[in-house]
């Protein structure tokens, strides 16, 4: 039912910043959890960070903690991933995903991904 569309990816130099957007369909988007994941070529998809919708608390992978920030704009049904001090190792396809309900065992909605390339 819910569609997620990522945007904002691109090419950026190391040390630069980029903000990714995840737009959700529907009148009101209120999942249990909204997560960001990334996958580099030849590697498995990894967790980047997530927001618990109720209360808005966030958690991040150690590799991005202190550099990445998740936020949201409820009026626009959009979630953002602000990425600062980017490093070449951040290069990957970034996906947003939603866990719609507490009892859903896995993230059940996924976006198509957006490419982020960080050059040195």
């Amino acid at each position: 039912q819910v569609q997620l569309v990522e945007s904002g990816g691109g090419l950026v130099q190391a040390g630069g910043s980029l903000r990714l957007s995840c737009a959700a369909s529907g009148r009101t988007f209120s999942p249990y959890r909204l997560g960001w994941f990334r996958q580099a070529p030849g590697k498995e998809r990894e967790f980047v960070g997530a927001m618990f919708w109720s209360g808005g608390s966030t958690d991040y992978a150690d590799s991005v903690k202190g550099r990445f920030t998740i936020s949201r704009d409820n009026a626009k049904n959009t979630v953002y991933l602000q990425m600062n001090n980017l490093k070449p190792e951040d290069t990957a396809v970034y996906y947003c995903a939603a866990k719609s309900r507490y009892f859903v065992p896995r993230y059940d909605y996924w976006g198509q991904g957006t490419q982020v390339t960080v050059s040195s």
Side-chain angles (χ1 to χ4, degrees):
Q1 297 177 12
V2 175
Q3 288 186 248
L4 303 176
V5 180
E6 301 97 334
S7 62
L11 177 64
V12 64
Q13 292 184 338
S17 299
L18 207 60
R19 188 179 75 164
L20 305 184
S21 299
C22 176
S25 65
R27 179 176 297 179
T28 302
F29 182 59
S30 59
Y32 171 70
R33 201 182 197 206
L34 189 288
W36 285 94
F37 299 81
R38 67 186 183 186
Q39 186 170 24
K43 296 184 178 181
E44 294 184 354
R45 185 166 55 210
E46 65 175 337
F47 172 80
V48 174
M51 171 182 284
F52 290 96
W53 212 255
S54 180
S57 62
T58 56
D59 59 89
Y60 304 92
D62 289 340
S63 60
V64 306
K65 192 173 184 179
R67 300 188 297 121
F68 290 11
T69 303
I70 298 172
S71 61
R72 71 187 191 221
D73 185 334
N74 291 332
K76 296 182 178 180
N77 274 5
T78 300
V79 178
Y80 303 98
L81 178 66
Q82 178 66 46
M83 305 184 294
N84 297 325
N85 191 25
L86 284 162
K87 303 175 180 180
E89 50 263 45
D90 294 320
T91 296
V93 176
Y94 284 71
Y95 301 87
C96 66
K99 187 177 182 182
S100 60
R101 297 288 185 271
Y102 174 80
F103 292 106
V104 175
R106 300 177 183 273
Y107 286 85
D108 49 338
Y109 296 99
W110 290 81
Q112 84 289 346
T114 184
Q115 176 71 48
V116 172
T117 303
V118 184
S119 64
S120 59

